[in-house]
Amino acid sequence: MPDTSDSIPALPLDAQGILELAARSMFQLFSTVSQGMFLVDLRGRIVWVNEGYQRFFPDLGITSVDQFVGRTVEEVIPNTGMRRVLETGQAVLIDLLTNKAGTFVVSRIPLRDDVGKVIGAIGIVLFDHPETTLQPLISKFALLQRDLDEARRELAAQRSQQLRGAGSGDRRTKYTFASFVGSSPAATEVKRQARRAAQSASPVLLLGETGTGKELLAHAIHAASQRASGPFVGVNIAAVPDTLLEAEFFGVAPGAYTGADRKGRDGKFKLADGGTLFLDEIGDMPPSLQAKLLRALQEGEIEPLGSNQLVPFDVRVIAATSRDLSALVREGRFREDLFYRLHVLPVRVPPLRERPGDIPALVEVLGEEIALRNGIAPPELLPDAMALLAAQPWRGNIRELRNVLEQAAMRSDAQSIDAEMLRALLREAGVEPAAPVNQSAMATGSAAPDSLLRPLAVQVAELERRAIAASLAATGGNKLATARQLGISRATLYQRLENPDENLNI
């Protein structure tokens, strides 16, 4: 018989040739048997689409290939997860995608160059109309989704009940130190100081702008203290009329005045007995009440309104303010002796603009809360949107960030949120958006990474000067308190004050 082996096509003999042959064959196979395919480059722009995918164009509102190729994948394919594949380099072999064109079973695979670097990705529609072609799988997925939705609603109900004090009149903390989101140096330091304060019985004074999380830290300090089993009672001084503050603090004796309750009414000091009393916005306390508060703190007893009897109490006081108490003392608007009574363990809570590296974590946590409260999927921010958020000054701090995220989540038709939408929301609020920071700056928590390219000794000395100046300002110039806050001896502090550039010799 004649030898016909020469007519049989031969496989490549080298491994690279076999891989290239397999890649070509798999690509041709998927292009033929799949319902559609497209390719994107590293920027997420579509560079190729096959004929099979073009049948979905009408449902996507696209009339031609030119309207599809060249645009970013999020612009033309709502709810796509392709961007995550480009960023992580991790393939998604099986996923369900739902948008206005229908529900699809899809795969997303990264494309790499010869050295393994991601240069793009391929999207493959494996099945369309899976509700018929994959009925058993879809039924199981629907059951899991229903269970997940029920769990979310239950968690939301539990959290709502917790925020209302469980509806039983119990006065318990709502937060712990784990609730203070952030791992930046500024966030880590404030949590360290707050944890140390929790181990003491002395008054704590939380200093910081509005919306930075002072009340959350007050709850956390109480929860970590020896008084955690006692009540936590808070009062916002700025929210109570001056004429009612005395009764709010000290209570009212039975029949103290016309129309008063014949049974009397306990004040916040009595309600907090054995626990913690949180005095929010202490800087707004009227001068007429400051003397009575000082006496109560010094003597450990109160005199209810309309009563001649002194009532002892045992509370640990945590005060907070967004105002400059030292300046109020100098202006004569806040008693100096009360200031020193409260200013024992000062903790400065940094504004959000000083810890931009915490913004991604805050966005994730706030997004989950927004989703649970409104029964929607958590918003997903694209990289350009995250960079934009990290660059904003956030005058309202975390409270303002939450507001922007919630507006974006409720007003967006897609799950993904881009920078353009956030710019529009900020401008509607009367804020001109700042230019976005780059990813390395956000990762380091600094908007100016070039400032790090200097001799280390110079940076250490500069950081020491700033830390000492900030601590002196927070402690009202008290050097002993400053040394304790910074964790150094008084001798070291005096040496640094006399020779501020000493570190340059290291």
Side-chain angles (χ1 to χ4, degrees):
M1 295 182 60
D3 187 3
T4 59
S5 60
D6 293 340
S7 62
I8 301 175
L11 287 171
L13 299 180
D14 61 301
Q16 185 62 31
I18 293 176
L19 288 176
E20 292 176 356
L21 174 63
R24 287 195 303 270
S25 300
M26 292 296 293
F27 185 87
Q28 293 170 357
L29 174 64
F30 277 121
S31 182
T32 302
V33 304
S34 71
Q35 303 301 311
M37 291 175 57
F38 64 90
L39 296 178
V40 298
D41 61 17
L42 189 58
R43 296 177 301 171
R45 297 191 180 278
I46 296 174
V47 297
W48 174 84
V49 59
N50 72 348
E51 292 184 5
Y53 199 93
Q54 294 176 31
R55 64 193 179 92
F56 305 124
F57 282 3
D59 292 327
L60 294 172
I62 296 170
T63 58
S64 67
V65 175
D66 293 337
Q67 292 182 350
F68 190 78
V69 175
R71 298 175 67 181
T72 60
V73 66
E74 293 87 3
E75 290 182 283
V76 291
I77 306 177
N79 301 331
T80 179
M82 187 64 79
R83 184 72 61 175
R84 189 179 300 276
V85 174
L86 294 172
E87 292 173 352
T88 64
Q90 300 295 318
V92 179
L93 298 180
I94 297 291
D95 194 15
L96 281 177
L97 170 66
T98 300
N99 54 36
K100 54 189 176 182
T103 298
F104 310 92
V105 178
V106 299
S107 290
R108 307 181 187 99
I109 303 172
L111 300 176
R112 303 179 184 273
D113 60 15
D114 293 339
V115 297
K117 184 179 180 180
V118 175
I119 57 176
I122 180 171
I124 305 171
V125 179
L126 300 174
F127 301 99
D128 59 349
H129 303 296
E131 62 274 9
T132 56
T133 57
L134 298 175
Q135 182 58 41
L137 179 63
I138 295 301
S139 297
K140 183 176 293 187
F141 175 81
L143 180 61
L144 291 174
Q145 186 66 47
R146 186 165 60 251
D147 291 343
L148 178 60
D149 290 341
E150 290 178 358
R152 281 177 170 168
R153 284 193 294 270
E154 179 65 22
L155 284 172
Q158 290 178 5
R159 178 160 180 78
S160 177
Q161 186 180 30
Q162 183 186 38
L163 293 177
R164 293 195 304 269
S168 61
D170 291 341
R171 296 178 179 272
R172 300 175 181 173
T173 52
K174 306 170 187 175
Y175 310 105
T176 65
F177 285 116
S179 306
F180 193 90
V181 179
S183 57
S184 66
T188 302
E189 176 60 18
V190 73
K191 284 190 280 190
R192 184 190 69 80
Q193 293 182 21
R195 284 192 180 96
R196 290 186 62 183
Q199 305 310 310
S200 169
S202 299
V204 178
L205 181 60
L206 301 173
L207 304 167
E209 300 174 8
T210 179
T212 52
K214 297 188 294 297
E215 183 176 355
L216 186 152
L217 278 177
H219 281 263
I221 290 172
H222 172 75
S225 73
Q226 295 181 353
R227 296 175 174 265
S229 59
F232 179 90
V233 178
V235 55
N236 189 323
I237 296 172
V240 181
D242 293 356
T243 54
L244 300 179
L245 269 176
E246 185 173 355
E248 187 76 12
F249 275 110
F250 307 124
V252 179
Y257 50 83
T258 302
D261 192 336
R262 286 181 294 178
K263 295 182 181 179
R265 180 174 178 270
D266 289 335
K268 299 300 186 184
F269 274 94
K270 185 63 177 177
L271 292 174
D273 193 32
T276 299
L277 178 61
F278 175 50
L279 306 178
D280 199 9
E281 297 300 343
I282 189 70
D284 292 334
M285 175 171 283
S288 60
L289 191 59
Q290 292 177 21
K292 295 182 179 181
L293 174 62
L294 176 63
R295 183 187 180 283
L297 295 178
Q298 288 177 337
E299 303 299 332
E301 55 189 19
I302 57 173
E303 186 175 338
L305 195 65
S307 173
N308 293 322
Q309 293 184 343
L310 295 175
V311 179
F313 67 86
D314 173 29
V315 301
R316 195 269 180 92
V317 172
I318 300 177
T321 182
S322 57
R323 307 183 69 177
D324 187 346
L325 280 190
S326 299
L328 294 179
V329 169
R330 291 193 297 269
E331 296 167 5
R333 298 163 59 189
F334 197 87
R335 292 183 63 102
E336 187 173 9
D337 45 8
L338 178 58
F339 172 77
Y340 290 126
R341 186 70 186 180
L342 297 172
H343 200 273
V344 179
L345 294 173
V347 177
R348 178 182 176 271
V349 187
L352 187 54
R353 60 182 171 274
E354 291 184 9
R355 51 190 193 105
D358 292 332
I359 286 183
L362 284 166
V363 167
E364 182 177 359
V365 172
L366 295 175
E368 288 288 345
E369 290 181 1
I370 292 168
L372 285 172
R373 187 168 58 250
N374 295 283
I376 60 175
E380 293 184 5
L381 269 68
L382 300 179
D384 60 343
M386 196 70 76
L388 180 70
L389 292 182
Q392 304 314 305
W394 299 118
R395 292 175 299 176
N397 293 292
I398 298 174
R399 191 174 292 122
E400 182 184 3
L401 174 62
R402 181 197 299 273
N403 176 265
V404 171
L405 287 176
E406 188 157 13
Q407 286 194 64
M410 301 307 296
R411 295 168 62 173
S412 175
D413 293 330
Q415 189 173 348
S416 299
I417 297 172
D418 58 16
E420 195 55 41
M421 180 177 190
L422 295 180
R423 288 192 186 93
L425 291 175
L426 289 170
R427 290 192 176 105
E428 286 181 14
V431 177
E432 183 57 34
V437 300
N438 57 42
Q439 296 298 315
S440 61
M442 186 160 55
T444 60
S446 169
D450 291 343
S451 65
L452 301 178
L453 305 179
R454 297 179 296 152
L456 182 59
V458 174
Q459 296 186 56
V460 170
E462 180 181 322
L463 180 60
E464 274 199 358
R465 287 194 295 270
R466 291 170 56 189
I468 291 172
S471 184
L472 285 171
T475 60
N478 187 318
K479 294 183 176 59
L480 176 59
T482 295
R484 287 177 177 173
Q485 189 177 70
L486 296 175
I488 59 177
S489 66
R490 276 188 292 175
T492 301
L493 175 62
Y494 290 136
Q495 186 180 23
R496 292 291 187 267
L497 291 173
E498 293 173 3
N499 301 290
D501 294 325
E502 187 181 31
N503 268 358
L504 294 178
N505 297 322
I506 63 174

